[in-house]
Amino acid sequence: MSLPALFHGWSLALLAASGVSEEPRPLMRPGNLDLRLDGAASLLPLSLEAGATLEVGVLPIGPGTLSLGAEASVNQCALACWVPNLFSERDVSRRDFYAVGRLGYHFTVADRNYRKVDLYGFLLAGAMEVHTSQTAPDYRYEGRSRSPAFGLGIGGNSFPTAGSRFFLGGEARVRFGTGAFDLTLTRGAYDFTEKDRRWLRLGLSTAFFVGVRLF
């Protein structure tokens, strides 16, 4: 057990022995473990996303806490694909899968969100797998690619009461990835261009989630 965790345990014991209870705080502490289920809408391209995040507090730094975590999500191209498909003989589909690690810093703002809100900033790094397909009257092809993915963002968890384990929250994040498709023609004949092979994902997403502080 680390010295900060041991000291915190002694403090709780002393408070209990004296009949004084410590008011629970929403700020993530070392040893806290949060599980979140996310739903997001992304811009550039316009798409929908769902995923899950697990995050643990690891080290007190200044007034806040350093955290480590991991998230997995799937992003489905929505309006950016659906609208052009309505006005074209081609049908384009894109789906991206993310598996990334998170490095975060959690903090509160005195006299404003101290009792109910846990704010944080974070960095993302990991991998993404991109799937695409294009169908036209005289051909069809599919493509896959894997690439590093990076990002950053800010967010917050809002607890309905000071002692609640459940919370609601949201975050804004920017992610980046680029690479080249491995394309396979499944029907007809088609000459692939460099534009067909290259892909870029650089966009802002706004996520909303429900979560629970397991420990």
Side-chain angles (χ1 to χ4, degrees):
M1 179 181 293
S2 65
L3 287 177
L6 187 60
F7 178 78
H8 185 61
W10 287 342
S11 299
L12 289 177
L14 289 173
L15 287 169
S18 63
V20 179
S21 61
E22 182 187 70
E23 182 180 6
R25 293 180 57 187
L27 174 66
M28 174 174 274
R29 297 290 192 177
N32 287 156
L33 180 65
D34 288 356
L35 172 65
R36 302 200 303 264
L37 300 179
D38 310 321
S42 299
L43 302 175
L44 302 175
L46 293 169
S47 55
L48 301 176
E49 188 167 338
T53 300
L54 198 64
E55 189 172 21
V56 60
V58 295
L59 185 67
I61 297 180
T65 302
L66 188 72
S67 66
L68 293 176
E71 75 174 61
S73 61
V74 55
N75 182 290
Q76 176 67 52
C77 180
L79 292 178
C81 292
W82 299 340
V83 173
N85 288 345
L86 294 175
F87 303 96
S88 173
E89 293 185 337
R90 297 180 301 173
D91 184 271
V92 177
S93 175
R94 290 200 300 266
R95 183 173 296 172
D96 305 336
F97 299 88
Y98 290 88
V100 297
R102 297 169 63 106
L103 174 65
Y105 182 73
H106 292 251
F107 60 94
T108 59
V109 178
D111 300 326
R112 291 185 178 272
N113 67 332
Y114 179 84
R115 298 178 183 275
K116 291 187 177 182
V117 179
D118 171 28
L119 300 176
Y120 57 87
F122 60 92
L123 300 174
L124 301 172
M128 62 183 298
E129 181 170 299
V130 180
H131 294 195
T132 188
S133 67
Q134 186 170 138
T135 303
D138 53 350
Y139 69 88
R140 183 180 188 280
Y141 68 79
E142 298 177 351
R144 291 192 177 190
S145 178
R146 290 182 180 177
S147 170
F150 305 94
L152 56 85
I154 57 173
N157 305 321
S158 178
F159 293 77
T161 63
S164 175
R165 287 186 175 273
F166 295 92
F167 56 86
L168 301 175
E171 61 184 41
R173 57 199 179 199
V174 176
R175 289 180 307 199
F176 170 79
T178 186
F181 284 117
D182 181 11
L183 297 171
T184 302
L185 191 65
T186 60
R187 178 172 59 82
Y190 182 80
D191 292 327
F192 297 118
T193 66
E194 186 63 20
K195 183 179 178 180
D196 295 326
R197 298 182 186 278
R198 300 299 304 181
W199 60 268
L200 171 68
R201 298 290 187 271
L202 174 60
L204 170 68
S205 66
T206 303
F208 299 94
F209 50 78
V210 295
V212 58
R213 181 152 291 172
L214 298 175
F215 303 106

Short mmCIF file of all heavy atoms in Angstrom, two decimals, residues 21 27 31 51 68 78 95 118 142 153 162 167 186 195 197 210:
data_model
loop_
_atom_site.label_atom_id
_atom_site.label_comp_id
_atom_site.label_asym_id
_atom_site.label_seq_id
_atom_site.Cartn_x
_atom_site.Cartn_y
_atom_site.Cartn_z
N SER A 21 -17.45 12.35 10.57
CA SER A 21 -17.39 11.67 9.27
C SER A 21 -16.84 12.61 8.21
O SER A 21 -17.13 13.80 8.21
CB SER A 21 -18.79 11.20 8.84
OG SER A 21 -19.66 12.30 8.71
N LEU A 27 -14.02 14.24 -6.49
CA LEU A 27 -12.70 14.20 -7.11
C LEU A 27 -12.14 12.79 -7.08
O LEU A 27 -12.10 12.14 -6.04
CB LEU A 27 -11.74 15.14 -6.37
CG LEU A 27 -10.28 15.11 -6.81
CD1 LEU A 27 -10.14 15.63 -8.23
CD2 LEU A 27 -9.41 15.92 -5.86
N GLY A 31 -6.61 4.98 -6.31
CA GLY A 31 -7.34 3.78 -5.96
C GLY A 31 -8.78 3.77 -6.42
O GLY A 31 -9.40 2.70 -6.50
N GLY A 51 -19.11 3.32 -26.91
CA GLY A 51 -17.93 2.68 -26.35
C GLY A 51 -17.99 2.59 -24.84
O GLY A 51 -19.00 2.91 -24.21
N LEU A 68 -4.88 6.76 -15.01
CA LEU A 68 -4.61 5.94 -16.19
C LEU A 68 -5.88 5.20 -16.56
O LEU A 68 -6.66 4.81 -15.69
CB LEU A 68 -3.49 4.95 -15.92
CG LEU A 68 -2.09 5.52 -15.68
CD1 LEU A 68 -1.12 4.39 -15.33
CD2 LEU A 68 -1.60 6.28 -16.92
N ALA A 78 -22.16 8.35 -40.41
CA ALA A 78 -23.61 8.56 -40.46
C ALA A 78 -23.95 9.52 -41.60
O ALA A 78 -23.91 9.14 -42.76
CB ALA A 78 -24.09 9.09 -39.11
N ARG A 95 -16.55 2.37 -41.09
CA ARG A 95 -16.67 2.03 -39.67
C ARG A 95 -15.26 1.96 -39.08
O ARG A 95 -14.40 1.27 -39.60
CB ARG A 95 -17.40 0.70 -39.49
CG ARG A 95 -17.61 0.31 -38.03
CD ARG A 95 -18.48 -0.93 -37.93
NE ARG A 95 -19.81 -0.68 -38.45
CZ ARG A 95 -20.72 -1.62 -38.63
NH1 ARG A 95 -20.43 -2.88 -38.36
NH2 ARG A 95 -21.92 -1.31 -39.09
N ASP A 118 -16.37 16.36 -10.85
CA ASP A 118 -14.96 15.97 -11.02
C ASP A 118 -14.56 16.34 -12.44
O ASP A 118 -15.03 15.74 -13.41
CB ASP A 118 -14.84 14.46 -10.78
CG ASP A 118 -13.48 13.90 -11.14
OD1 ASP A 118 -12.50 14.66 -11.09
OD2 ASP A 118 -13.41 12.70 -11.48
N GLU A 142 -13.80 -3.60 -50.90
CA GLU A 142 -13.71 -3.43 -49.46
C GLU A 142 -12.28 -3.07 -49.09
O GLU A 142 -11.33 -3.44 -49.81
CB GLU A 142 -14.10 -4.73 -48.73
CG GLU A 142 -15.53 -5.17 -48.98
CD GLU A 142 -15.85 -6.49 -48.30
OE1 GLU A 142 -14.89 -7.13 -47.79
OE2 GLU A 142 -17.03 -6.87 -48.28
N GLY A 153 -8.39 15.86 -24.88
CA GLY A 153 -9.72 16.38 -24.61
C GLY A 153 -9.89 16.84 -23.18
O GLY A 153 -8.97 16.78 -22.36
N ALA A 162 -23.26 14.12 -2.99
CA ALA A 162 -21.85 13.98 -2.61
C ALA A 162 -21.47 12.53 -2.35
O ALA A 162 -20.32 12.15 -2.55
CB ALA A 162 -21.55 14.83 -1.39
N PHE A 167 -22.76 8.55 -11.71
CA PHE A 167 -22.59 9.90 -12.21
C PHE A 167 -22.95 9.98 -13.69
O PHE A 167 -23.01 8.97 -14.40
CB PHE A 167 -21.15 10.39 -11.99
CG PHE A 167 -20.09 9.51 -12.60
CD1 PHE A 167 -19.70 9.66 -13.92
CD2 PHE A 167 -19.45 8.53 -11.83
CE1 PHE A 167 -18.71 8.86 -14.47
CE2 PHE A 167 -18.46 7.71 -12.38
CZ PHE A 167 -18.09 7.88 -13.70
N THR A 186 -14.23 -7.12 -54.88
CA THR A 186 -15.08 -8.31 -54.70
C THR A 186 -16.05 -8.53 -55.86
O THR A 186 -16.66 -9.59 -55.96
CB THR A 186 -15.90 -8.19 -53.40
OG1 THR A 186 -16.72 -7.02 -53.45
CG2 THR A 186 -14.97 -8.11 -52.19
N LYS A 195 -6.25 8.36 -54.09
CA LYS A 195 -7.30 8.91 -53.23
C LYS A 195 -8.12 7.80 -52.59
O LYS A 195 -8.54 7.91 -51.44
CB LYS A 195 -8.20 9.83 -54.04
CG LYS A 195 -9.28 10.50 -53.21
CD LYS A 195 -10.12 11.43 -54.06
CE LYS A 195 -11.23 12.08 -53.23
NZ LYS A 195 -12.07 13.00 -54.06
N ARG A 197 -6.99 4.86 -51.78
CA ARG A 197 -6.17 4.12 -50.82
C ARG A 197 -5.90 4.91 -49.53
O ARG A 197 -5.84 4.33 -48.45
CB ARG A 197 -4.84 3.73 -51.47
CG ARG A 197 -4.98 2.81 -52.67
CD ARG A 197 -3.62 2.41 -53.24
NE ARG A 197 -3.76 1.64 -54.45
CZ ARG A 197 -4.00 0.34 -54.48
NH1 ARG A 197 -4.13 -0.33 -53.35
NH2 ARG A 197 -4.11 -0.30 -55.63
N VAL A 210 -22.84 7.64 -18.94
CA VAL A 210 -23.25 7.30 -17.58
C VAL A 210 -22.14 6.45 -17.00
O VAL A 210 -21.47 5.71 -17.73
CB VAL A 210 -24.59 6.53 -17.55
CG1 VAL A 210 -25.72 7.40 -18.05
CG2 VAL A 210 -24.50 5.25 -18.40
#
